[in-house]
Amino acid sequence: MIEPKNKNKLTFATIEVNAGLKKAIALSRADIIGELKESGMKGRGGAGFPTSVKWNLAAAAKGEKKYVVCNADEGEPGTFKDRLILTDYADLVFEGMTIGGLAVGSDEGIVYLRAEYTYLVAHLEEVLAKRRKDGLLGKDILGKKGFNFDIHLHMGAGAYVCGEETALIESLEGHRGEPRNRPPFPVDTGFNGKPTIVNNVETFAWAAAIYAKGGAWFNGLGTEKSTGLKLFSISGDCEFPGVYEFPMGITVADLLKEVGGSEAKAVQIGGASGHCVPAADFNRAIAFEDIATGGSIIVFGPDRDLLDIAENFLEFFCEESCGQCTPCRDGNPKLLEGVQLLKKGECSMQYLNELLSLAETMQLASKCGLGQSSPNAFVSIATHFKAEILGRTGKAMQGGK
Amino acid sequence: MLVTERDRMKDQIYALADQLGRERSSLIPILQEVQKAYSHVSSFAMQVIADALGIHPVEVNSVVSFYSFLHTEPKGRFVLRLCRTISCLMNHSEKVAKQLENELGVKFGETTPDGKFSLEYTNCLGMCDQGPALLINDKIYTHVTPDKVHGLIEECRAIFGVHAMQQKEGH
C-alpha cells in the first residue's frame, strides 16, 4: 500500500506525545474542561458541536460508569483523514481519549473502527499495548492514584449510518445501527444507558494537541466562530490529492490553489451529504458559520457531468439508508429516479420543482443526519446548474467523460 | 467419538459467548468470529447464538441482515470489494470492474463456482486520493488499473494454494 506524502506538514507531527496528558493530569476536572472551552474547538466530525460542552455535560451526568467512545467509522464518501491519523498519530488519539476519560470520570474507552479498516487493527493494538506497558493506560495512570482508564477496539460491520453517534451506540450494544430519537443525548443516556461522549478521531487528536500547546494557541487560529486547524481529505480533479491541514475559514479558492485544482467548475464539500459548491461561490469560507464540513473535499473539473455525481451519491444513500423513517427510505429512491430522468432529458421543470420540494421534506422530516443531508448534493446541483442538467438530448451532448 | 460439524459449531459458539460475555453487546463480535471461521453465518449458527445470548433468533437475523459485512450465504475464500464511490469512479474504477468480471467470469454479487472468489461493490474505502481502491478480504490495494487485475487474482490463487496445502498437512 502506497501512502502519499502529505502535501503540507501537519501540526500533529510537531506535537510531543503525552505532553498534553501530563499537563491535564495535574489539573482539576473543571480546569481540564476549561482549557478545552478556551480552545473553542467544535467537533471535527462535521456537526460542529462544541467539544467542551459535550464533555462538560457528560462530566456533570450522574453515574458510576461512563464511556469515552471514539468514532472511527469514517465512511463519508471522500473522507480519509481519520485513516491517516490512526496510521500516523494513533498515540495522540488514545491520549485524547484518556484525557477525555479523566475529564468526564470514565474508566473505559472504546474505539468503534469501521470494518473496512480492519487492516489497521494490528497497528492500533500494538500502540495500545505499548501505552499499557508505559503506564499510560491501565491502573493509576502516570502514578495518579485512582485514575484508571483502558481502551479497546470494537469493529463495525459495514454500515455508513453507524457514523451517526446514536446509531453507533446501537451498534455497540449489538443492535441494528438505527439512529435513536434525541433527547435523551448520549452524554446522559449513551452506551448501555450510561453517560457517554462520542467524538471523532480527529477531535481526540486535536484535544491532545490542545493540552500540549494550550487552548489559547488553538483559539488564536481559524475564525472567531470556527477556531483552530482542520484536516481535509482532498480528492478528485486536482494535481495533488491527499490530506491537508488548513486553518478554519480558508476560502474554497485558496484551498484549490494549494491542491492544484483551480480549474474546477464545482467542488463537493462535506462528502455525499455535503453541498456541491459552484465556481461562482469559491470565495466562500470553509467554516461552521459558512460551509461546514467534516473535511471531505472532492474537486470536479470542467468536463465532469454533475448528474453522474448526483446519481452516484443517491445510489449510495439508497443503499445506506437504515430504512427506519419514510422520508429517507422512500425519498432517496425518488430523487435517484429523478436524476435518471434528467440524464435521459425527460424531466420537466415542474417535476424538478416537485423533487426539490420532496428534498425539502426529507431535510425537515428525516430522523437523523443521514436523511436530513442526503438531498443536499442533488439540491445544490439542481439549483446552481439548471442550464446544464435540463433538456438533455443524448449522451453525445452531455460533455461528461 | 464422531463429532458432527453442527456439534462442533455449537461448542465453538458457546465458548465464544463465554469468552466475550453473554451480553447483547457481544452479539456482533460473536457473529464476526463465527463468520471468520465458517465464511458465513448460517441459520443454524444464528439459532445457536440466539440461545447462547438468550434472545430471539429473529433478533440475530435482523442484525446480520443489516450489516453489509455480515452474510447468511457462504462467500468465496477471497472477497473482492471494489470501491464504487465517486472519487474512485472519476479514476475509472468502472474499467477495473469490467476487468474483474472478465478475469473471474462472474458478475458483481456473485461467487466463482469453485468457491474461491466473491466479487462485490462497496462504498467509500477511504482511499479517495489513491483510487481506484480494492479491498481483498482485509487487505487494501490502491491505484488499481485494469492491467493489474490479473496479477492480483493470481496473487490470491497462490495464497490459496499454500493455504490449502497447510490445511491438508494439518489433518
Side-chain angles (χ1 to χ4, degrees):
Chain A
M1 155 178 157
I2 318 155
E3 200 60 59
K5 271 184 108 66
N6 287 317
K7 303 306 179 296
N8 67 358
K9 198 172 161 102
L10 303 188
T11 302
F12 291 149
T14 67
I15 304 290
E16 187 194 333
V17 174
N18 301 320
L21 178 59
K22 281 173 193 155
K23 210 146 128 197
I25 217 160
L27 299 174
S28 71
R29 205 181 264 189
D31 287 342
I32 295 175
I33 292 169
E35 187 80 37
L36 199 59
K37 193 175 175 195
E38 197 189 345
S39 78
M41 177 166 63
K42 292 179 175 174
R44 262 39 192 159
F49 191 76
T51 308
S52 64
V53 175
K54 193 181 267 190
W55 288 21
N56 198 25
L57 287 167
K62 286 200 175 68
E64 280 296 298
K65 185 76 185 173
K66 295 178 186 178
Y67 294 96
V68 173
V69 175
C70 174
N71 183 346
D73 193 47
E74 178 174 57
E76 187 64 52
T79 315
F80 44 95
K81 44 107 189 157
D82 289 348
R83 169 180 56 76
L84 182 125
I85 296 170
L86 291 169
T87 307
D88 292 347
Y89 308 106
D91 257 315
L92 288 182
V93 179
F94 297 146
E95 186 187 341
M97 290 177 74
T98 311
I99 298 170
L102 192 59
V104 307
S106 157
D107 64 354
E108 189 173 345
I110 305 169
V111 178
Y112 185 94
L113 184 68
R114 68 190 300 230
E116 290 85 345
Y117 288 174
T118 299
Y119 55 87
L120 291 176
V121 168
H123 165 67
L124 295 175
E125 290 288 6
E126 204 176 299
V127 177
L128 284 173
K130 173 128 199 334
R131 289 186 75 82
R132 278 183 206 112
K133 205 173 130 240
D134 294 347
L136 298 160
L137 287 174
K139 279 203 174 351
D140 301 331
I141 292 172
L142 289 173
K144 187 178 164 99
K145 279 269 168 276
F147 176 33
N148 307 329
F149 189 76
D150 211 331
I151 298 172
H152 61 92
L153 304 181
H154 184 103
M155 296 309 296
Y160 164 78
V161 70
C162 290
E164 199 277 342
E165 63 177 7
T166 61
L168 187 153
I169 289 169
E170 283 288 310
S171 179
L172 276 178
E173 291 180 359
H175 295 108
R176 295 159 67 87
E178 291 173 349
R180 295 175 179 174
N181 282 321
R182 299 188 299 181
F185 291 95
V187 287
D188 174 70
T189 309
F191 178 48
N192 287 338
K194 306 284 191 265
T196 304
I197 52 168
V198 183
N199 285 121
N200 178 259
V201 170
E202 188 186 345
T203 307
F204 280 120
W206 282 120
I210 284 166
Y211 290 100
K213 298 187 73 147
W217 158 76
F218 197 81
N219 200 307
L221 299 160
T223 71
E224 199 183 326
K225 283 182 180 158
S226 308
T227 60
L229 304 162
K230 172 92 189 77
L231 262 53
F232 293 91
S233 315
I234 300 172
S235 65
D237 298 319
C238 59
E239 270 181 84
F240 315 109
V243 173
Y244 287 77
E245 177 185 296
F246 295 120
M248 294 295 279
I250 187 172
T251 64
V252 182
D254 285 346
L255 180 143
L256 286 173
K257 218 177 287 167
E258 291 286 325
V259 304
S262 295
E263 293 202 336
K265 80 165 170 188
V267 177
Q268 182 71 22
I269 299 179
S273 62
H275 295 269
C276 189
V277 178
D281 286 346
F282 282 178
N283 58 347
R284 286 180 65 185
I286 301 174
F288 294 114
E289 64 270 26
D290 196 348
I291 310 173
T293 172
S296 166
I297 309 273
I298 309 173
V299 184
F300 301 132
D303 296 334
R304 293 292 170 194
D305 182 350
L306 295 177
L307 285 182
D308 285 346
I309 285 141
E311 187 181 26
N312 184 275
F313 287 159
L314 286 166
E315 282 170 352
F316 169 76
F317 286 120
C318 287
E319 189 183 297
E320 294 292 351
S321 168
C322 80
Q324 203 185 174
C325 71
T326 314
C328 175
R329 182 188 61 238
D330 291 349
N332 281 307
K334 275 324 254 190
L335 294 186
L336 176 60
E337 260 175 50
V339 169
Q340 285 158 349
L341 279 181
L342 283 163
K343 280 184 92 167
K344 283 193 276 182
E346 290 172 5
C347 184
S348 67
M349 185 66 116
Q350 190 189 347
Y351 190 62
L352 182 62
N353 285 335
E354 276 177 28
L355 289 174
L356 287 169
S357 152
L358 168 68
E360 196 185 338
T361 304
M362 291 164 66
Q363 287 166 332
L364 292 170
S366 294
K367 187 171 174 181
C368 82
L370 190 154
Q372 288 159 11
S373 61
S374 61
N376 288 349
F378 169 77
V379 170
S380 47
I381 289 170
T383 310
H384 298 299
F385 296 94
K386 276 210 173 67
E388 184 184 320
I389 63 172
L390 284 168
R392 293 203 173 180
T393 54
K395 264 272 170 207
M397 296 297 288
Q398 287 181 15
K401 279 197 174 172
Chain B
M1 193 181 84
L2 183 72
V3 182
T4 65
E5 175 88 346
R6 283 191 162 194
D7 287 334
R8 193 164 62 112
M9 184 191 274
K10 208 169 165 178
D11 289 346
Q12 210 173 345
I13 288 170
Y14 273 88
L16 272 170
D18 286 336
Q19 182 202 330
L20 297 166
R22 296 198 179 201
E23 298 92 40
R24 177 69 193 244
S25 57
S26 305
L27 175 58
I28 294 173
I30 291 173
L31 289 167
Q32 286 165 334
E33 289 300 321
V34 169
Q35 182 165 289
K36 224 183 272 173
Y38 297 92
S39 99
H40 72 299
V41 186
S42 62
S43 307
F44 178 75
M46 286 192 265
Q47 176 68 59
V48 178
I49 293 169
D51 291 345
L53 297 184
I55 53 178
H56 198 283
V58 97
E59 287 277 328
V60 180
N61 187 277
S62 81
V63 168
V64 174
S65 63
F66 185 84
Y67 294 96
S68 64
F69 276 56
L70 295 173
H71 34 84
T72 52
E73 295 298 323
K75 293 260 160 141
R77 164 85 174 79
F78 294 96
V79 182
L80 286 76
R81 292 184 170 97
L82 182 69
C83 178
R84 64 167 154 205
T85 297
I86 193 74
S87 297
C88 282
L89 198 58
M90 285 160 70
N91 284 330
H92 298 295
S93 59
E94 80 283 0
K95 291 185 181 172
V96 178
K98 188 82 185 60
Q99 198 54 31
L100 280 164
E101 288 183 340
N102 291 345
E103 296 289 339
L104 294 172
V106 292
K107 299 277 174 210
F108 278 81
E110 295 177 356
T111 299
T112 54
D114 62 3
K116 280 185 187 169
F117 298 97
S118 292
L119 190 53
E120 289 179 3
Y121 279 116
T122 189
N123 291 320
C124 191
L125 287 172
M127 283 291 171
C128 322
D129 53 338
Q130 305 165 63
L134 177 69
L135 193 67
I136 303 183
N137 291 349
D138 292 339
K139 206 171 167 195
I140 187 88
Y141 294 86
T142 57
H143 299 292
V144 180
T145 45
D147 57 307
K148 287 183 188 161
V149 167
H150 177 75
L152 290 176
I153 291 168
E154 282 305 305
E155 208 178 290
C156 294
R157 284 193 207 281
I159 296 169
F160 186 82
V162 172
H163 183 82
M165 291 277 279
Q166 278 171 347
Q167 267 196 340
K168 217 172 161 186
E169 280 165 17
H171 279 285

